[in-house]
Amino acid sequence: MRRTLLALAAVGMLAGCTTAERTATFGAAAGGTIGALASGTIGGAAIGAFVGGVGGYLVGRAADRGDGWCEYRTRDGRIFYDRCPGT
Protein backbone atom coordinates (compact mmCIF):
# COMPACT_ATOMS: atom_id res chain seq x y z
CA MET A 1 0.00 0.00 0.00
CA ARG A 2 2.81 2.38 0.86
CA ARG A 3 4.53 1.78 -2.48
CA THR A 4 1.29 2.39 -4.31
CA LEU A 5 0.77 5.74 -2.60
CA LEU A 6 4.36 6.78 -3.34
CA ALA A 7 3.95 5.80 -6.98
CA LEU A 8 0.71 7.77 -7.24
CA ALA A 9 2.38 10.81 -5.70
CA ALA A 10 5.26 10.59 -8.18
CA VAL A 11 2.92 10.27 -11.15
CA GLY A 12 0.85 13.19 -9.87
CA MET A 13 3.90 15.44 -9.72
CA LEU A 14 4.95 14.56 -13.25
CA ALA A 15 1.56 14.54 -14.92
CA GLY A 16 0.16 17.70 -16.41
CA CYS A 17 1.55 21.11 -17.10
CA THR A 18 -1.30 23.36 -16.06
CA THR A 19 -2.90 23.68 -12.66
CA ALA A 20 -6.07 22.10 -14.04
CA GLU A 21 -4.21 19.02 -15.26
CA ARG A 22 -2.28 18.61 -12.01
CA THR A 23 -5.37 18.98 -9.82
CA ALA A 24 -7.29 16.55 -12.04
CA THR A 25 -4.53 13.97 -11.59
CA PHE A 26 -4.45 14.45 -7.84
CA GLY A 27 -8.26 14.40 -7.63
CA ALA A 28 -8.46 11.17 -9.62
CA ALA A 29 -5.84 9.49 -7.44
CA ALA A 30 -7.49 10.63 -4.23
CA GLY A 31 -10.98 9.77 -5.46
CA GLY A 32 -9.89 6.34 -6.61
CA THR A 33 -8.24 5.60 -3.29
CA ILE A 34 -11.24 6.78 -1.29
CA GLY A 35 -13.63 4.90 -3.57
CA ALA A 36 -11.63 1.69 -3.22
CA LEU A 37 -11.43 1.98 0.55
CA ALA A 38 -15.11 2.85 0.93
CA SER A 39 -16.54 0.20 -1.38
CA GLY A 40 -13.82 -2.44 -1.58
CA THR A 41 -14.49 -2.95 -5.28
CA ILE A 42 -12.87 -1.97 -8.56
CA GLY A 43 -16.12 -0.28 -9.64
CA GLY A 44 -16.10 1.91 -6.55
CA ALA A 45 -12.50 2.88 -7.23
CA ALA A 46 -13.31 3.71 -10.85
CA ILE A 47 -16.28 5.88 -9.91
CA GLY A 48 -14.23 7.63 -7.23
CA ALA A 49 -11.40 8.27 -9.69
CA PHE A 50 -13.79 9.70 -12.26
CA VAL A 51 -15.55 12.00 -9.80
CA GLY A 52 -12.25 13.09 -8.24
CA GLY A 53 -10.70 13.76 -11.64
CA VAL A 54 -13.60 15.88 -12.85
CA GLY A 55 -13.76 17.81 -9.60
CA GLY A 56 -10.01 18.39 -9.57
CA TYR A 57 -10.06 19.60 -13.15
CA LEU A 58 -12.82 22.11 -12.46
CA VAL A 59 -11.03 23.48 -9.40
CA GLY A 60 -7.75 23.73 -11.30
CA ARG A 61 -9.36 25.37 -14.28
CA ALA A 62 -10.82 28.07 -12.06
CA ALA A 63 -7.33 28.66 -10.65
CA ASP A 64 -5.89 28.96 -14.19
CA ARG A 65 -7.91 32.09 -14.96
CA GLY A 66 -4.78 34.22 -14.58
CA ASP A 67 -4.21 37.85 -13.82
CA GLY A 68 -6.76 40.40 -14.86
CA TRP A 69 -9.79 38.24 -14.00
CA CYS A 70 -11.97 38.86 -10.98
CA GLU A 71 -14.54 36.62 -9.32
CA TYR A 72 -17.94 38.19 -8.70
CA ARG A 73 -20.93 36.87 -6.77
CA THR A 74 -24.49 37.85 -7.58
CA ARG A 75 -27.14 38.49 -4.94
CA ASP A 76 -28.55 35.02 -5.44
CA GLY A 77 -25.13 33.41 -4.84
CA ARG A 78 -24.04 32.61 -8.40
CA ILE A 79 -20.35 33.13 -9.14
CA PHE A 80 -19.07 34.49 -12.43
CA TYR A 81 -15.74 35.75 -13.76
CA ASP A 82 -15.10 38.92 -15.68
CA ARG A 83 -12.21 41.23 -16.42
CA CYS A 84 -11.14 43.25 -13.40
CA PRO A 85 -11.80 46.99 -13.55
CA GLY A 86 -8.87 48.92 -14.97
CA THR A 87 -7.30 46.01 -16.90
Side-chain angles (χ1 to χ4, degrees):
M1 181 70 169
R2 186 176 188 160
R3 286 183 184 173
T4 303
L5 291 176
L6 289 173
L8 286 174
V11 168
M13 285 188 261
L14 297 174
C17 297
T18 66
T19 303
E21 292 167 350
R22 285 192 303 268
T23 55
T25 302
F26 177 76
T33 302
I34 293 168
L37 292 174
S39 70
T41 64
I42 297 290
I47 291 170
F50 176 77
V51 171
V54 169
Y57 177 77
L58 294 175
V59 168
R61 184 158 169 166
D64 276 343
R65 293 257 181 221
D67 294 334
W69 288 88
C70 292
E71 178 179 301
Y72 297 99
R73 185 179 305 265
T74 61
R75 289 183 185 178
D76 62 354
R78 289 182 293 142
I79 296 173
F80 68 96
Y81 299 90
D82 199 3
R83 290 276 182 196
C84 293
T87 56

